[in-house]
Amino acid sequence: QVQLVESGGGLVQPGGSLRLSCAASGSIFSINAMGWYRQAPGKQRELVATIPRGSSTNYADSVKGRFTISRDNAKNTVYLQMLNLKPEDTAVYLCHIIANLRAGIYELWGQGTQVTVSS
């Protein structure tokens, strides 16, 4: 059984910073892509940032220059450093991985962590 545990969300003022973490545990052979998505109330889930097993990264235009995604393959963990947060960044942030498990390749989601940007 594979589990994704997210942490680091919370309430922050506009202009503030947060760092999200997502650790995958269980019978994982390897992890291909890792990423973060977010979903605000009444809106569709949207991609925030992704990082494949290589060094390239991909960001939504709305977060470029403010957010940085990184991963620690030894710890099966992905991070999202968020700077200069804006009220429109308020959402539930969900971790997403594509992992090689015993039974094959699976797409897995975390439970989500709330990020609220408000004064």
Side-chain angles (χ1 to χ4, degrees), residues 29-53:
F29 290 155
S30 64
I31 297 177
N32 299 330
M34 306 183 85
W36 290 93
Y37 289 71
R38 67 186 181 187
Q39 188 162 18
K43 294 188 177 181
Q44 288 192 331
R45 185 174 297 182
E46 63 174 357
L47 180 147
V48 176
T50 60
I51 181 168
R53 193 162 181 84

Side-chain angles (χ1 to χ4, degrees), residues 46-87:
E46 63 174 357
L47 180 147
V48 176
T50 60
I51 181 168
R53 193 162 181 84
S55 58
S56 64
T57 55
N58 180 50
Y59 296 94
D61 288 343
S62 59
V63 307
K64 282 181 181 176
R66 300 187 297 122
F67 291 11
T68 302
I69 189 171
S70 60
R71 61 188 285 175
D72 184 333
N73 293 326
K75 295 181 179 180
N76 285 340
T77 299
V78 61
Y79 306 96
L80 186 68
Q81 178 68 54
M82 305 185 291
L83 305 177
N84 190 22
L85 283 159
K86 304 176 181 181

Side-chain angles (χ1 to χ4, degrees), residues 85-118:
L85 283 159
K86 304 176 181 181
E88 52 264 40
D89 295 318
T90 295
V92 174
Y93 283 70
L94 301 112
C95 171
H96 173 261
I97 69 169
I98 299 175
N100 294 307
L101 310 180
R102 185 182 305 274
I105 298 174
Y106 283 83
E107 184 178 19
L108 303 169
W109 291 90
Q111 80 284 357
T113 185
Q114 177 69 47
V115 171
T116 303
V117 185
S118 175

